């Protein structure tokens, strides 16, 4: 995963892809695979001038007596510097682009509402501060801020140990690659890694509960553990796939061993039918000439081992610096190489870091002033209802409904702040640190007309991971609907786990709400309401705001 810089003139932003003001007619803007046609390696084209020449990759001349696989990889690296090709493994198209709220974005006419949002929050903070001065003599309440200092050193040491233990995947990948027996990835390598991954996850997800930390420390370590789990999974499974690909390519160097000449399997993209793809894998590139079969197969395998930018070839990436760099990159899907900017913009990094702490302050203020008191008062009122009261159920329902109504606006503010602090500022800061050029961490999810569209555009890093490692990899074995349900199931489990850490209750409300999105999407795409974008967007926002308040009330009060 070496760096690929953009053009050195950073003042000219013409090379940066900005979010478009209007949606394309095809909503599938998050491609997992390129759609370029088949590349012929016999005629190598000159790389276009707009591709970066800044890279840490090295080009070494191939000796004339090198095996055919070495010549194939060399040709693949040169060809991929000129143009990309559809990969065998589900891949993500990374390219330089800015976020919607970036000053260089084409959505400049939207920034007035962005400023208005912050002005409104400033008014809320001033009003809250004046009320606190009247009641306590201080502009802020000291008690909630103590939650961030309790267990601070234990949290830092535990978090560092959690990340450090994932470094074991590198020697494990080397062992899988060098094995000539049952430990290869396609045999025991994958099960061994899954066992390691399971034990690792079970250990660290239970760690804060065993130490009885505060909920803030528990949520931080749980969320970071989930992020590192997805990164480790992506790293291991992609490199395991490359290990198997390398074995097949090297086997073609020894025809006397009768290596398999079965066409390389390509996972389906979102725009392809699985049955058509399977026929293509079996028939489209199966010429009768045996030499052509081997040549085509060698070409496919060599291209798969080479990064999209043509500067890195497996197994050059199996190093500790490469893995550590991936851990800091704001993405969950591992690739051999990512697009990079020429240098870090330190001013931008400073403002994004400052904004992270500002959003945390606003989140804490909103929670302590407008959410916690409402929930506490509701809990006392529910406990005060006599058990023998003839109207107990009605009184409980009225208190719950009133509590939900009080929480609607605070949770809307909280939801927007969580979105900003994660996808605009935290990921943006890490993108600056690593010079990661693709800042498209979200799309215009606020215009969503159904929950499936929202799931694609609200959290693009997680969406890419689930599409690549759950949906797309399951498509060869089950229908499209079953793969979609499986993806929602995995996402629902993770959301329920996070809610359990926050409330220390496993009730299943979040899981049920996530799974109910599937029939809701089916209804929203029915002829009855399909195409009514304004109506569907209103329903989306109403269900989003109401759902957050309802879930919180259920987890805390029921």
């Amino acid at each position: 995963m070496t760096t690929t810089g953009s053009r050195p003139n950073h003042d000219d932003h013409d090379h940066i892809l900005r979010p478009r003001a209007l949606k394309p007619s095809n909503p599938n803007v998050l491609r997992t695979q390129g759609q370029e046609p088949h590349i012929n390696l016999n005629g190598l084209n000159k790389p276009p001038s707009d591709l970066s020449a800044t890279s840490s990759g090295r080009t070494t001349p191939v000796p004339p007596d090198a095996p055919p696989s070495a010549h194939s990889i060399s040709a693949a690296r040169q060809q991929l510097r000129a143009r990309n090709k559809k990969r065998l493994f589900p891949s993500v198209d990374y390219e330089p682009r800015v976020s919607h709220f970036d000053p260089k974005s084409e959505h400049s006419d939207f920034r007035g509402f962005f400023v208005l949002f912050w002005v409104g929050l400033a008014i809320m903070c001033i009003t809250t501060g004046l009320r606190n001065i009247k009641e306590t003599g201080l502009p802020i309440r000291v008690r909630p801020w103590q939650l961030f200092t309790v267990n601070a050193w234990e949290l830092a040491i535990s978090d560092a140990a959690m990340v450090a233990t994932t470094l074991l995947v590198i020697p494990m990948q080397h062992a899988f690659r060098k094995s000539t027996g049952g430990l290869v990835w396609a045999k025991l390598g994958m099960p061994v890694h899954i066992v390691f991954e399971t034990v690792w996850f079970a250990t660290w997800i239970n760690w804060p509960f065993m130490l009885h930390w505060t909920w803030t420390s528990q949520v931080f370590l749980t969320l970071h553990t989930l992020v590192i789990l997805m990164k480790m999974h992506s790293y291991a499974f992609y490199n395991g796939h490359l290990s198997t690909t390398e074995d097949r390519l090297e086997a073609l160097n020894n025809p006397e061993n009768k290596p398999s000449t079965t066409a390389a399997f390509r996972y389906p993209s979102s725009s392809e039918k699985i049955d058509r793809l399977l026929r293509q894998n079996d028939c489209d590139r199966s010429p009768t000439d045996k030499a052509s079969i081997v040549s085509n197969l060698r070409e496919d395998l060599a291209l798969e081992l080479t990064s999209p930018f043509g500067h890195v070839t497996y197994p050059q990436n199996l190093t500790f610096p490469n893995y550590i760099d991936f851990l800091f990159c704001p993405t969950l899907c591992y690739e051999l190489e990512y697009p990079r900017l020429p240098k870090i913009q330190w001013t931008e990094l400073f403002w994004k870091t400052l904004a992270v702490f500002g959003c945390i302050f606003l989140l804490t203020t909103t929670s302590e002033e407008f959410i916690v008191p409402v929930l506490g008062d509701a809990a006392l009122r529910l406990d005060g209802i006599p058990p023998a009261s003839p109207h107990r159920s009605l009184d409980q329902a009225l208190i719950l409904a009133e509590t939900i109504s009080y929480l609607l606006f605070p949770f809307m503010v909280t939801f927007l702040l969580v979105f900003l602090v994660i996808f605009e500022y935290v990921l943006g800061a890490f993108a600056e640190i690593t010079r990661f050029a693709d800042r498209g961490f979200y799309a215009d999810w606020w215009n969503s007309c159904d929950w499936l569209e929202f799931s694609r555009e609200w959290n693009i890093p997680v969406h890419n991971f689930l599409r690549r490692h759950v949906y797309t990899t399951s498509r060869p074995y089950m229908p499209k609907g079953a793969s979609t349900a499986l993806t929602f199931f995995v996402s629902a489990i993770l959301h329920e786990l996070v809610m359990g850490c926050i409330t220390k209750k496993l009730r299943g409300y979040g899981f049920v709400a996530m799974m109910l999105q599937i029939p809701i999407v089916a209804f929203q795409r029915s002829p009855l309401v399909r195409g009514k974008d304004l109506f569907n967007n209103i329903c989306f926002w109403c269900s989003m705001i109401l759902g957050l308040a309802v879930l919180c009330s259920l987890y805390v009060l029921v």
Side-chain angles (χ1 to χ4, degrees):
M1 183 172 39
T2 60
T3 59
T4 299
S6 301
R7 287 182 293 186
N9 183 10
H10 62 279
D11 292 328
D12 181 10
H13 300 287
D14 292 339
H15 64 291
I16 299 292
L17 299 182
R18 299 175 176 85
R20 285 176 285 187
L22 296 177
K23 283 189 178 181
S25 58
N26 180 11
N28 181 27
V29 296
L30 304 176
R31 297 174 298 166
T32 59
Q33 294 174 305
Q35 303 297 326
E36 289 77 3
H38 172 67
I39 297 176
N40 182 9
L41 291 179
N42 295 328
L44 298 177
N45 300 324
K46 183 180 179 181
S49 58
D50 62 340
L51 286 181
S52 169
T54 304
S55 172
S56 59
R58 298 291 184 267
T59 302
T60 304
V62 179
D65 57 346
S69 61
H71 287 283
S72 297
I73 290 178
S74 177
R77 294 181 65 166
Q78 296 178 53
Q79 181 68 13
L80 283 170
R81 291 191 184 100
R83 55 193 298 191
N84 201 355
K85 182 184 185 291
K86 182 176 179 179
R87 320 292 291 182
L88 303 179
F89 195 81
S91 59
V92 179
D93 294 332
Y94 293 99
E95 51 193 4
R97 74 187 102 196
V98 297
S99 65
H100 280 69
F101 296 121
D102 191 282
K104 299 182 289 294
S105 171
E106 290 182 354
H107 291 268
S108 57
D109 54 348
F110 187 72
R111 293 194 62 81
F113 287 101
F114 185 64
V115 173
L116 178 62
F117 171 77
W118 287 109
V119 171
L121 289 180
I123 295 174
M124 181 193 74
C125 290
I126 293 173
T127 305
T128 302
L130 293 175
R131 185 173 66 250
N132 287 337
I133 292 174
K134 178 181 178 181
E135 296 176 355
T136 66
L138 297 173
I140 60 175
R141 300 181 187 270
V142 179
R143 183 185 60 84
W145 300 102
Q146 296 174 347
L147 294 174
F148 295 99
T149 58
V150 178
N151 312 124
W153 282 108
E154 290 182 9
L155 175 62
I157 296 173
S158 299
D159 189 67
M162 180 268 293
V163 175
T165 51
T166 66
L167 296 175
L168 292 174
V169 299
I170 300 173
M172 290 173 63
Q173 287 297 320
H174 280 289
F176 299 151
R177 175 176 175 266
K178 295 177 180 178
S179 175
T180 56
L183 199 58
V184 295
W185 178 260
K187 295 181 180 179
L188 290 178
M190 185 187 300
V192 167
H193 175 79
I194 291 176
V195 170
F196 167 74
E197 205 172 81
T198 304
V199 173
W200 178 91
F201 181 67
T203 300
W204 290 109
I205 208 67
N206 285 293
W207 186 258
F209 293 95
M210 293 188 295
L211 297 181
H212 304 287
W213 285 352
T214 60
W215 72 268
T216 51
S217 300
Q218 287 181 339
V219 170
F220 176 85
L221 189 65
T222 299
L223 290 176
H224 200 198
T225 300
L226 289 173
V227 169
I228 299 300
L229 173 70
M230 289 186 280
K231 281 179 172 283
M232 178 172 59
H233 181 90
S234 182
Y235 180 88
F237 273 74
Y238 187 43
N239 281 292
H241 160 76
L242 295 180
S243 174
T244 304
T245 303
E246 184 190 37
D247 291 341
R248 290 198 64 188
L249 181 60
E250 291 181 350
L252 296 177
N253 294 334
N254 302 308
E256 61 275 7
N257 294 335
K258 297 182 179 180
S260 173
T261 57
T262 305
F265 178 79
R266 287 187 176 86
Y267 289 88
S269 67
S270 58
S271 60
E272 292 177 312
K273 299 295 184 181
I274 182 65
D275 52 349
R276 186 180 70 218
L277 190 71
L278 291 173
R279 289 196 301 270
Q280 174 185 337
N281 288 326
D282 294 337
C283 305
D284 283 0
R285 300 192 57 199
S286 301
T288 56
D289 183 16
K290 184 176 181 179
S292 299
I293 295 176
V294 174
S295 176
N296 289 337
L297 178 60
R298 181 179 286 117
E299 176 188 328
D300 284 340
L301 299 176
L303 284 170
E304 187 69 6
L305 294 174
T306 308
S307 69
F309 299 99
H311 298 123
V312 183
T313 301
Y314 179 88
Q316 296 175 351
N317 61 304
L318 294 180
T319 62
F320 286 102
N322 177 274
Y323 179 70
I324 293 174
D325 178 65
F326 170 57
L327 291 180
F328 279 94
C329 284
T331 179
L332 300 175
C333 294
Y334 179 78
E335 294 286 348
L336 295 174
E337 195 174 8
Y338 296 110
R340 308 284 180 136
L341 295 179
K343 65 179 183 180
I344 298 176
Q345 301 180 44
W346 294 104
T347 303
E348 190 74 13
L349 177 60
F350 168 78
W351 287 115
K352 288 186 180 298
T353 305
L354 185 64
V356 169
F357 290 100
C359 286
I360 292 175
F361 169 79
L362 292 172
L363 282 168
T364 305
T365 301
T366 304
S367 174
E368 290 298 321
E369 297 291 339
F370 302 100
I371 296 178
V372 173
V374 172
L375 293 173
D377 179 68
L380 291 176
R381 293 167 61 191
L382 287 173
D383 292 339
I385 300 177
S389 174
H391 305 293
R392 178 179 175 83
S393 298
L394 179 60
D395 292 339
Q396 290 176 333
L398 289 175
I399 293 174
L400 190 62
E402 184 182 16
T403 302
I404 292 172
S405 67
Y406 288 155
L407 294 177
L408 291 177
F409 182 76
F411 266 104
M412 182 185 70
V413 174
T414 301
F415 169 73
L416 294 177
L417 284 172
V418 168
F419 158 72
L420 283 174
V421 71
I422 295 177
F423 300 109
E424 182 67 23
Y425 300 129
V426 172
L427 294 184
F430 277 98
E432 285 295 338
I433 293 172
T434 58
R435 298 186 292 111
F436 194 83
D438 193 341
R439 311 293 171 90
F441 306 124
Y442 59 91
D444 54 339
W445 56 265
W446 44 86
N447 294 324
S448 298
C449 294
D450 59 57
W451 285 102
L452 196 59
E453 184 179 0
F454 171 76
S455 67
R456 289 197 306 263
E457 299 181 347
W458 142 261
N459 189 342
I460 289 180
V462 171
H463 166 76
N464 286 340
F465 176 87
L466 293 175
R467 172 172 286 277
R468 183 191 200 188
H469 293 285
V470 180
Y471 177 82
T472 308
T473 52
S474 66
R475 285 285 285 113
Y477 310 104
M478 59 182 65
K480 181 178 180 180
S483 295
T484 301
L486 176 62
T487 305
F488 270 89
F489 177 81
V490 173
S491 178
I493 290 292
L494 298 180
H495 281 79
E496 179 64 27
L497 181 62
V498 174
M499 291 302 300
C501 291
I502 295 176
T503 62
K504 297 183 180 181
K505 298 178 182 178
L506 289 177
R507 294 291 188 265
Y509 304 131
F511 176 83
V512 173
M514 285 288 296
M515 297 305 296
L516 283 177
Q517 292 179 13
I518 298 178
I520 292 175
V521 168
F523 172 74
Q524 290 176 319
R525 297 193 172 187
S526 65
L528 183 63
V529 295
R530 183 190 304 166
K532 300 178 180 179
D533 293 346
L534 179 59
F535 171 77
N536 286 328
N537 186 246
I538 293 173
C539 292
F540 159 75
W541 273 111
C542 291
S543 59
M544 170 63 73
I545 298 172
L546 182 63
L548 292 172
V550 169
L551 284 177
C552 179
S553 300
L554 290 176
Y555 272 105
V556 175
L557 302 177
V558 179

